[in-house]
Amino acid sequence: AGAAVGGLNVHGISVSQIMGGFGDPETLNGIPFPVLLRDALYHDTTLAEALDRIATATRTNEYHYGISGRDPFGQLDARLLFTSNSRFDEFGGGDPVLPHPYYEPFYEPFDDVVYWKRHDGGAYAGDGPENHRKGNKTLHAAIDARYGQIDAARAIEIAIADGVASTLVSIIYNATTGHFWVAYAHGSDPAHNQGYVEIHLSP
């Protein structure tokens, strides 16, 4: 199952994205990100394949990606990517991220978790410089409070704690079992207020 906002396939590849903000130039001569992520979901079976697809593509614009997939031993792993037409920066669990060229987003690594809020790590559209660290801090705190015990219910709690007024769609993936939980906004009421519908990618 997949769309521009994210997706999951039966091999454990899951993708999510948020617009970047590095100031790198964009190009129309490339593969738009929805097509790139769709192709990863349609064709790739391992994390390495999906990462290679994104790394070698002619990318058009700036995006942060969260992507999961199986490593060479069959275990699920994940990466946080900072990408643009010319940039491909990959971070795993426990890795610090590169400094942002315009902001100072908070990012405290977990050993086996990658996370990111929005293009600058901030809280919500239109906030001031004092809040550019707030979004990642909120997300980190929600993960940290449940670290080592994150099941579907706690993952949804994290999504709700991190939701903002402009959240159109919120998706929780369990790439191990092929389950995901999705909520869509209702009018101006954001997605995380609507309740989550469980879907299973059955064999």
Side-chain angles (χ1 to χ4, degrees):
V5 294
L8 172 69
N9 76 15
V10 295
H11 303 289
I13 303 293
S14 69
V15 295
S16 60
Q17 57 77 26
I18 190 69
M19 185 71 181
F22 318 112
D24 293 354
E26 67 174 314
T27 177
L28 298 179
N29 184 24
I31 303 174
F33 85 86
V35 177
L36 185 58
L37 297 187
R38 181 203 64 187
D39 285 350
L41 292 171
Y42 280 14
H43 304 297
D44 296 334
T45 62
T46 67
L47 180 59
E49 290 174 353
L51 291 172
D52 182 67
R53 180 180 301 279
I54 297 171
T56 59
T58 301
R59 299 174 299 276
T60 59
N61 211 334
E62 309 163 281
Y63 283 93
H64 299 285
Y65 298 118
I67 186 164
S68 77
R70 299 196 181 277
D71 66 17
F73 305 100
Q75 300 300 308
L76 281 168
D77 201 356
R79 295 291 185 272
L80 170 65
L81 307 179
F82 292 3
T83 73
S84 69
N85 174 249
S86 58
R87 172 191 303 255
F88 182 85
D89 299 321
E90 175 185 339
F91 311 100
D95 294 339
V97 299
L98 293 175
H100 196 287
Y102 306 120
Y103 308 102
E104 295 182 6
F106 170 89
Y107 191 83
E108 185 174 307
F110 291 101
D111 285 341
D112 54 359
V113 175
V114 292
Y115 64 97
W116 197 259
K117 175 60 179 173
R118 70 169 204 192
H119 69 277
D120 59 2
Y124 51 89
D127 62 357
E130 71 279 2
N131 284 329
H132 286 149
R133 298 165 58 85
K134 183 177 178 183
N136 276 357
K137 279 189 173 181
T138 301
L139 183 52
H140 178 277
I143 295 169
D144 192 40
R146 299 160 180 84
Y147 189 70
Q149 301 177 325
I150 299 177
D151 55 11
R154 292 181 177 90
I156 289 171
E157 291 173 359
I158 292 168
I160 292 172
D162 195 47
V164 295
S166 58
T167 301
L168 176 62
V169 59
S170 180
I171 310 173
I172 310 297
Y173 304 111
N174 184 331
T176 302
T177 66
H179 289 77
F180 63 101
W181 294 259
V182 61
Y184 279 91
H186 181 72
S188 60
D189 196 20
H192 54 282
N193 289 345
Q194 307 309 315
Y196 287 74
V197 176
E198 181 178 352
I199 301 171
H200 184 210
L201 295 181
S202 64

